[in-house]
Amino acid sequence: MKKFLDEFKEFALKGNVMDMAVGVIIGAAFGNIITALTENVINPLIGCIGNPEVTGFVIPLIKGQEINIGALLTAIINFLLMALVLFMVIKAMNKAMSVGKKKEPEAAPTTKKCPYCQSEIDIKATRCPHCTSEISE
């Protein structure tokens, strides 16, 4: 049980949990911004085409029930905008993280192609093991 608690303590105090908590908080804030943008800017622009209240787009059913297409449209717009914003933020963070890293030089090739049979052979080979041709390169 002690080992379990030590592992949990290490996990909880590690950066991963803190990063996740910050991500959830920022995600909630972005969600509020996106919802406000959708409800106060995008829906009125869509409403200019027809009904000024996008959430008022409903399909009436029997017994007073209705399908609220406007609410679904608002939720889809919110999701797409949220996904776009998160994609751009993550892409920018990945680019910022890779700026300081040095690229490893490419390793020298260890194989070459036989000019006769196009098989991969060792770079030091003087004869192709596949077609037995002499390689003069």
Side-chain angles (χ1 to χ4, degrees), residues 3 8-9 13 16-17 36 38 40 50-51 75 79 91 93 97 99 103 105 110 117-118 122-123 125 137:
K3 184 178 180 189
F8 178 73
K9 181 179 171 185
L13 297 178
N16 295 345
V17 174
T38 303
N40 298 318
N51 188 353
F79 171 76
K91 187 171 175 122
M93 286 178 57
M97 295 291 282
V99 167
K103 291 188 178 182
T110 58
C117 69
Q118 299 300 312
D122 189 75
I123 196 130
E137 296 178 40

Side-chain angles (χ1 to χ4, degrees), residues 54-99:
V54 174
T55 56
F57 291 146
V58 294
I59 298 174
L61 300 173
I62 57 173
K63 295 186 181 178
Q65 298 295 318
E66 55 189 25
I67 298 174
N68 194 340
I69 300 295
L72 177 63
L73 181 64
T74 300
I76 290 171
I77 292 170
N78 281 349
F79 171 76
L80 292 174
L81 286 174
M82 190 68 177
L84 177 67
V85 167
L86 289 176
F87 171 75
M88 291 187 317
V89 167
I90 289 172
K91 187 171 175 122
M93 286 178 57
N94 287 341
K95 186 162 186 118
M97 295 291 282
S98 68
V99 167

Side-chain angles (χ1 to χ4, degrees), residues 121-132:
I121 59 173
D122 189 75
I123 196 130
K124 297 177 185 175
T126 57
R127 186 176 290 271
C128 177
H130 303 285
C131 68
T132 67

Side-chain angles (χ1 to χ4, degrees), residues 19-33 82 86 89 93:
D19 291 344
M20 185 176 68
V22 170
V24 168
I25 293 168
I26 290 175
F30 271 133
N32 292 336
I33 292 169
M82 190 68 177
L86 289 176
V89 167
M93 286 178 57

